[in-house]
């Protein structure tokens, strides 16, 4: 074996083979792929082989579309048989119609078809109870082992070296970077290691000191004897019955996602340990656990009651706690991961390989994969028990309908604000994000209005949101934002580092608060946060709850790349944060502090609130006058109760994050991960005011101040038709965009949506648009923003 290589890939499944192939396409020749047994011997050989393209996530849909384009060129048993999805309930049909709308924005020919047409395509099905169906003719199925070998062959042709029966024993790390891989066939010095270990990925990660939160889950399906003579059947999914089918010659493959799943592990404590000799093997057949799926399968395909079963496949597949892939570079420099495919590995393999190759070669993935970035996981996922709870819940609810506002239940409560007990005692309805219990809204009595959105958006709606929204606009609202991630950047290099990564000037006078973005080399928005200068060498960054872990890792990577010695620390748990906003906010705070609360907008100052020392930031995310008040966590409950008691005579209302979202929609404040992200620039997003082109910063040279598209605010003619995200937007009869975020504005009393529209006369304020909401094209108009308080006088 060669004793050196630039890139070493660990894992010879479909993921590793795809990464190797795409690296050679990018010109990498010094690539070695290591496999402990034979190619496909992990999870690939027992995968079911279904390839569906459409997902609720735009990036994954594009990745899967690329996979299909690639598979058409491979000699790997690709069959473009089409894919059917059935609805056995009206609720599922509403979901399917939303998905048909999403498909239009990607150019996917997904269409609603009649039940009779579905039977014609898949004659084995019994249509009883089926409400409707959708058909995508470009979906299909592929032989997973053939796919892996085809990709491996192309990788070899490109110069990659493949070494089977080579077990990795260790990974060498020096000064925070990988330097080599130790195997039972010799050691390899290298610059980059790519962990494509599938269900073994967590163990491989531990060799480098990295936690990769995946859990091998036992997944079963059956292969039947011959039961039909149809030359080509589409794949068939009936999520209401938890089952899927595909053709296997003259028989069928049938599997599903049962409600009583089983994590598979060799350890009662780690939950992700795999036996050393588990190569090319299956788990014992578990017929009792398959009974729920089997019974359901007979409902939809009656032939399943009598057909012989050729074999039951029970194989472990790697699932993650949030049902998203684990991709990208870890906190150890040069140590990449492509694992945790959650049964989507065959459909996504082509896209995964391309994204990973771009990430390794260019330093950036080229697509918005923040939700797949392995750095997204907070410290709570170091806990094996927490990881398995979340992964099990994901598996058992795999086919569930996710209504807007759907909340997960496993592993809760875990991270709580100092004021959590107060919220619970006052009727809070909690949501969860990044392990934090957060108030969505309180169980307030309806305010007499009937503003429930129709259809999908109204499923988990509460009138309390409107009451909290209006109170903030008319009197004052008190919000617990303790979950917001907080990062301290300190030291002699702190100012220089932040000036390099931020597009706005942040190294201003002590006490200045700056709203800024941090960009990638392509000018895309990697981070979106405020920076407060607390001292000459001390800065406080406040970012979104779910962005903290990733932003922290991103900043540390930029520091490493530039040689900065700045200290970058996560201090989220050290501080409680409460926001007091509204016309009466000043009156409430003035009675609690000896210091006049006369801070200029976007500035900070230390003061006392009652008995509590606090840092006051004059900022807003709702467009009203007020402050974010930070204090050490041990003072948190006292600060909240002090503010509450002082505000009660003024009509202060406690509010939650649903009201904040409605308030920010009216003001046009962007949300990272929805309205903005790594594939959008500040100029496209209407955030050009943050860009200071006179200074040098990362991504500056890639920015175009005259972009071809802009984020626009739309209002819909029907205020009860509420878009939530991904709905197609039509201009002059042509689909040109999708909704990034939307909701109802209780002050302006309109349905609001945002979308990136092409620059031109057809997308200027006043232009007519249409938005498809659950299968209906709803008229709308492009409007100037912000809708509420355009001059911004209330906040200032």
């Amino acid at each position: 074996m060669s004793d050196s290589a630039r890139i070493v890939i660990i894992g010879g499944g479909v993921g590793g083979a795809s990464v190797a192939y795409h690296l050679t396409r990018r010109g990498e020749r010094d690539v070695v792929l290591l496999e402990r047994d034979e190619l496909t011997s992990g999870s690939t050989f027992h995968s079911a082989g279904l390839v569906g393209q459409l997902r609720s996530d735009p990036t994954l849909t594009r990745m899967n579309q690329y996979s299909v384009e690639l598979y058409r060129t491979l000699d790997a048993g690709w069959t473009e048989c089409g894919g059917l999805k059935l609805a056995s309930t009206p609720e599922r049909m509403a979901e399917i119609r939303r998905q048909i709308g999403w498909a239009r924005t990607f150019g996917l020919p997904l269409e609603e078809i009649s039940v009779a047409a579905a039977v014609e395509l898949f004659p084995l099905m019994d249509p009883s109870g089926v409400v409707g169906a959708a058909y995508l003719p470009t979906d299909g199925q592929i032989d997973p082992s053939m796919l892996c070998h085809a990709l491996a062959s192309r990788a070899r042709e490109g110069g990659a070296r493949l070494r089977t029966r080579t077990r990795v024993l260790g990974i060498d790390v020096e000064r925070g970077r990988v330097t080599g891989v130790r195997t039972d066939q010799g050691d390899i010095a290298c610059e980059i290691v790519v962990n494509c270990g599938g269900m073994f990925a967590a163990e491989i990660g531990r060799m480098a000191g990295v936690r990769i939160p995946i859990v091998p889950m036992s997944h079963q399906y059956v292969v039947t004897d011959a039961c039909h003579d149809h030359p080509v059947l589409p794949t068939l999914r009936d999520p209401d019955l938890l089952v899927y089918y595909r053709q296997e010659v003259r028989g069928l493959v049938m599997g599903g996602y049962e409600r009583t799943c089983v994590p598979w592990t060799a350890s009662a404590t780690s939950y992700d340990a795999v036996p050393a000799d588990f190569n090319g093997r299956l788990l014992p057949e578990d017929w009792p656990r398959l009974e729920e799926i089997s019974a359901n399968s007979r409902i939809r395909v009656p032939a399943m009651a009598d057909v012989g079963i050729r074999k039951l496949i029970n194989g472990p597949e790697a699932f993650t706690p949030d049902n998203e892939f684990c991709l990208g570079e870890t906190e150890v420099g040069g140590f990449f991961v492509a694992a945790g495919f959650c049964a989507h590995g065959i459909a996504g393999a082509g896209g995964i390989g391309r994204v990973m190759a771009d990430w390794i070669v260019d330093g950036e993935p080229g697509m918005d994969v923040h939700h797949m970035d392995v750095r997204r996981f907070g410290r709570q996922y170091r806990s094996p028990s927490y990881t398995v709870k979340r992964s099990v819940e994901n598996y058992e609810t795999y086919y569930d309908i996710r209504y807007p506002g759907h909340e997960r239940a496993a592993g809760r409560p875990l991270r709580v604000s100092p004021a959590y007990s107060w919220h619970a005692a006052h009727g809070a309805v909690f949501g969860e994000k990044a392990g934090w219990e957060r108030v969505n809204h309180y169980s307030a009595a309806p305010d007499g209005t009937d503003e429930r959105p129709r259809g999908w958006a109204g499923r988990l709606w509460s009138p309390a949101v409107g009451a909290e929204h209006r109170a903030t606009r008319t009197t004052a609202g008190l919000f617990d934002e303790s979950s917001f991630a907080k990062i301290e950047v300190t030291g002699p290099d702190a100012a220089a580092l932040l000036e390099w990564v931020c597009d706005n000037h942040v190294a201003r006078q002590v006490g200045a608060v700056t709203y800024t973005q941090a960009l990638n080399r392509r000018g895309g928005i990697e981070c979106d946060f405020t920076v407060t200068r607390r001292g000459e060498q001390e800065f406080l960054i406040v970012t979104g709850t779910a962005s903290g872990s990733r932003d922290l890792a991103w900043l540390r990577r930029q520091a490493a790349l530039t040689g900065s010695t700045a200290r970058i620390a996560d201090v989220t748990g050290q501080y409680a944060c409460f926001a007091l906003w509204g016309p009466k906010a000043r009156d409430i705070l003035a009675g609690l502090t000896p210091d006049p609360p006369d801070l200029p907008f976007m500035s900070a100052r230390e003061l006392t609130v009652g008995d509590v020392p606090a840092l006051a930031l004059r900022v807003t995310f709702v467009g009203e006058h007020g402050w974010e008040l930070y204090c050490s966590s041990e003072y948190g409950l006292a600060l909240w109760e002090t503010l509450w008691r002082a505000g009660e005579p003024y009509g202060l209302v406690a509010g939650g994050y649903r009201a904040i979202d409605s308030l920010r929609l009216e003001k046009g404040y962007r949300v990272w991960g929805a309205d903005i992200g790594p594939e959008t620039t500040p100029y496209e997003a209407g955030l050009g005011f943050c860009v200071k082109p006179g200074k040098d910063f990362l991504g500056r040279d890639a920015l175009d101040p005259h972009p071809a598209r802009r984020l626009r605010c739309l209002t819909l003619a029907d205020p009860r038709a509420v878009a939530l995200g991904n709905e197609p937007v039509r201009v002059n009869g042509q689909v040109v965009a999708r909704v990034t975020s939307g909701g109802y504005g209780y002050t302006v009393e309109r349905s609001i949506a945002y979308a990136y529209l092409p620059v031109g006369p057809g997308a200027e304020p006043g232009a007519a648009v249409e938005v498809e909401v659950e299968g209906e094209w709803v008229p709308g108009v492009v409007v100037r923003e912000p809708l509420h308080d355009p001059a911004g006088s209330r906040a200032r």
Side-chain angles (χ1 to χ4, degrees):
M1 181 183 291
S2 171
D3 61 356
S4 69
R6 177 169 136 73
I7 303 171
V8 172
I9 300 168
I10 304 173
V14 70
S18 183
V19 172
Y21 163 60
H22 284 88
L23 281 170
T24 63
R25 286 194 62 187
R26 290 298 312 271
E28 295 288 343
R29 296 293 178 261
D30 196 7
V31 178
V32 172
L33 183 148
L34 306 177
E35 165 54 43
R36 59 191 274 164
D37 192 61
E38 301 293 342
L39 296 182
T40 79
S41 64
S43 296
T44 297
F45 83 93
H46 60 71
S47 297
L50 281 72
V51 179
Q53 297 167 86
L54 183 64
R55 298 291 185 268
S56 59
D57 163 47
T59 300
L60 184 54
T61 299
R62 287 158 56 197
M63 291 167 66
N64 289 357
Q65 285 179 279
Y66 169 76
S67 292
V68 168
E69 293 171 10
L70 174 63
Y71 299 167
R72 288 170 179 156
T73 71
L74 300 175
D75 183 15
W78 168 249
T79 303
E80 199 156 314
C81 55
L84 265 175
K85 185 174 184 179
L86 305 181
S88 298
T89 63
E91 292 79 10
R92 184 71 66 180
M93 198 62 227
E95 179 191 52
I96 286 176
R97 287 182 177 133
R98 283 175 54 82
Q99 292 168 345
I100 291 171
W102 302 342
R104 287 194 179 94
T105 69
F106 302 108
L108 283 171
L110 180 68
E111 59 178 338
E112 182 176 344
I113 63 173
S114 67
V115 177
V119 173
E120 187 173 343
L121 287 165
F122 199 99
L124 297 176
M125 67 173 276
D126 181 347
S128 302
V130 177
V131 175
Y135 178 61
L136 182 55
T138 55
D139 276 355
Q141 62 188 64
I142 196 166
D143 184 297
S145 294
M146 291 179 65
L147 172 61
C148 183
H149 283 281
L151 291 168
S153 177
R154 288 202 175 186
R156 283 194 191 94
E157 292 170 3
R161 290 161 285 159
L162 278 62
R163 301 288 184 261
T164 57
R165 296 195 174 277
T166 303
R167 186 179 295 271
V168 173
L169 305 176
I171 297 172
D172 296 326
V173 177
E174 295 180 12
R175 297 181 180 179
R177 286 198 63 86
V178 293
T179 59
V181 175
R182 287 175 279 118
T183 83
D184 60 357
Q185 303 296 318
D187 299 344
I188 308 175
C190 62
E191 301 173 29
I192 292 169
V193 173
V194 190
N195 178 359
C196 297
M199 61 180 159
F200 306 97
E203 292 188 64
I204 296 168
R206 282 192 284 273
M207 296 178 186
V210 172
R211 168 66 176 160
I212 301 171
I214 66 167
V215 176
M217 301 293 296
S218 167
H219 183 72
Q220 297 191 121
Y221 63 84
V222 297
V223 181
T224 76
D225 291 334
C227 60
H228 65 88
D229 56 3
H230 303 287
V232 178
L233 290 173
T235 62
L236 176 67
R237 293 174 177 85
D238 189 336
D240 292 309
L241 290 177
L242 311 176
V243 294
Y244 63 77
Y245 309 82
R246 74 161 173 83
Q247 186 170 357
E248 177 70 9
V249 193
R250 298 300 178 186
L252 292 174
V253 164
M254 184 283 295
Y257 293 87
E258 67 277 12
R259 298 293 189 188
T260 53
C261 70
V262 175
W264 177 73
T265 176
S267 168
T269 55
S270 74
Y271 296 103
D272 55 23
V274 180
D277 62 347
F278 196 84
N279 303 313
R281 291 168 49 191
L282 295 171
L283 302 175
E285 297 175 348
D286 190 350
W287 288 100
R289 186 162 55 84
L290 192 70
E291 181 51 39
E292 177 185 21
I293 302 300
S294 297
N296 288 351
S297 75
R298 296 190 289 270
I299 294 173
R300 188 57 59 227
V301 178
M304 292 296 298
D306 302 312
V307 68
I309 302 299
R310 190 149 49 93
K311 54 185 172 181
L312 169 63
I313 305 296
N314 185 8
E317 302 227 15
F319 276 73
T320 65
D322 59 3
N323 221 32
E324 300 281 4
F325 300 163
C326 287
L327 304 181
E329 191 172 17
T330 68
E331 64 267 31
V332 172
F335 185 61
F336 287 79
V337 177
F341 298 156
C342 307
H344 297 313
I346 303 303
I352 290 165
R354 185 172 70 167
V355 164
M356 290 300 298
D358 290 344
W359 212 328
I360 292 164
V361 174
D362 300 332
E364 297 173 358
M367 301 177 78
D368 181 3
V369 292
H370 74 272
H371 48 297
M372 306 178 199
D373 193 326
V374 68
R375 299 169 298 176
R376 71 189 181 272
F377 292 106
R379 287 179 295 174
Q380 65 270 25
Y381 288 103
R382 295 178 187 174
S383 162
S385 62
Y386 185 76
T387 300
V388 78
K389 288 172 188 172
R390 304 293 275 189
S391 301
V392 164
E393 182 184 41
N394 260 323
Y395 187 100
E396 294 182 343
T397 60
Y398 188 88
Y399 276 145
D400 282 8
I401 297 173
R402 298 290 197 271
Y403 292 112
H406 168 84
E407 297 289 349
R408 298 176 60 193
R412 296 178 58 185
L414 182 64
R415 307 173 76 183
V416 299
S417 158
Y420 174 78
S421 59
W422 189 97
H423 301 321
H426 287 77
V429 176
F430 290 101
E432 177 269 333
K433 182 172 282 190
W436 280 94
E437 294 296 314
R438 312 195 319 165
V439 178
N440 281 340
H441 56 79
Y442 291 85
S443 300
D447 60 3
T449 62
D450 183 14
E451 297 166 315
R452 181 184 296 274
R454 60 181 174 83
W456 199 263
R459 296 287 302 192
L460 300 177
W461 176 86
S462 169
V465 177
E468 293 165 11
H469 173 120
R470 292 190 178 91
T472 305
R473 291 273 189 250
T474 57
T475 55
L478 183 60
F479 301 89
D480 188 341
E481 295 182 336
S482 297
S483 69
F484 276 17
K486 309 157 194 89
I487 300 170
E488 282 184 348
V489 183
T490 57
D493 287 355
L497 174 65
L498 291 176
E499 281 296 306
W500 166 245
V501 301
C502 295
D503 61 356
N504 207 339
H505 281 303
V506 296
R508 299 159 57 208
Q509 71 275 14
V510 174
V513 181
T514 306
Y515 171 55
T516 184
Q517 294 78 46
L519 311 182
N520 55 40
R521 291 188 307 163
R522 294 169 288 116
I525 301 171
E526 288 288 337
C527 312
D528 179 72
F529 45 53
T530 60
V531 180
T532 301
R533 188 166 199 174
R534 301 193 66 182
E536 288 300 317
Q537 300 182 6
E538 182 181 359
F539 296 82
L540 175 67
I541 292 173
V542 179
T543 187
T545 302
S547 303
S549 295
R550 186 181 178 278
D551 287 2
L552 180 73
W554 193 86
L555 288 166
R556 285 176 172 168
R557 173 169 169 74
Q558 303 316 307
L561 290 173
T562 58
S564 173
T565 61
R567 178 179 179 270
I568 304 169
D570 180 3
V571 295
T572 301
Q574 296 180 28
Y575 296 100
C577 173
F578 306 127
L580 176 65
W581 290 314
K584 298 295 185 182
R586 180 183 176 87
D587 296 331
I588 294 169
L589 190 61
L592 294 172
T593 177
D595 307 302
D598 55 357
L599 289 74
F601 188 57
M602 299 302 287
S603 67
R605 192 173 73 201
E606 302 277 354
L607 46 72
T608 58
V609 180
D611 299 331
V612 177
L615 172 68
L617 271 60
R618 268 280 282 117
V619 296
T620 182
F621 197 56
V622 300
E624 298 295 332
H625 181 83
W627 299 264
E628 286 180 351
L629 299 166
Y630 295 80
C631 69
S632 185
S633 289
E634 71 267 24
Y635 294 108
L637 181 58
L639 178 58
W640 178 273
E641 291 183 335
T642 297
L643 292 167
W644 178 253
R645 286 192 298 268
E648 279 190 295
Y650 293 92
L652 177 67
V653 168
Y657 280 87
R658 300 281 173 79
I660 290 177
D661 190 56
S662 174
L663 291 157
R664 72 93 193 166
L665 280 168
E666 294 183 334
K667 287 296 296 179
Y669 295 145
R670 283 37 172 158
V671 170
W672 193 89
D675 303 310
I676 56 178
E679 294 188 73
T680 56
T681 72
Y683 289 114
E684 291 175 326
L687 300 174
F689 63 89
C690 291
V691 179
K692 300 298 183 284
K695 71 163 190 158
D696 191 20
F697 60 88
L698 179 61
R700 182 191 66 174
D701 295 341
L703 292 177
D704 181 358
H706 306 290
R709 62 173 190 165
R710 289 288 299 272
L711 186 63
R712 298 296 191 186
C713 181
L714 321 175
T715 59
L716 305 188
D718 181 356
R720 297 294 170 266
V722 173
L724 299 165
N726 287 336
E727 293 87 352
V729 180
R730 197 161 67 179
V731 176
N732 296 325
Q734 297 293 318
V735 173
V736 298
R738 63 178 181 84
V739 171
T740 59
S741 68
Y744 183 73
Y746 291 90
T747 302
V748 299
E749 298 183 335
R750 283 188 262 180
S751 176
I752 305 167
Y754 289 85
Y756 284 91
L757 301 184
V759 171
E764 296 300 319
V769 298
E770 295 173 287
V771 178
E772 187 179 8
V773 181
E774 297 180 36
E776 176 185 346
W777 288 102
V778 180
V781 63
V782 180
V783 296
R784 295 188 185 278
E785 55 174 324
L787 290 167
H788 175 71
D789 186 29
S793 58
R794 293 171 71 96
R796 286 174 170 79

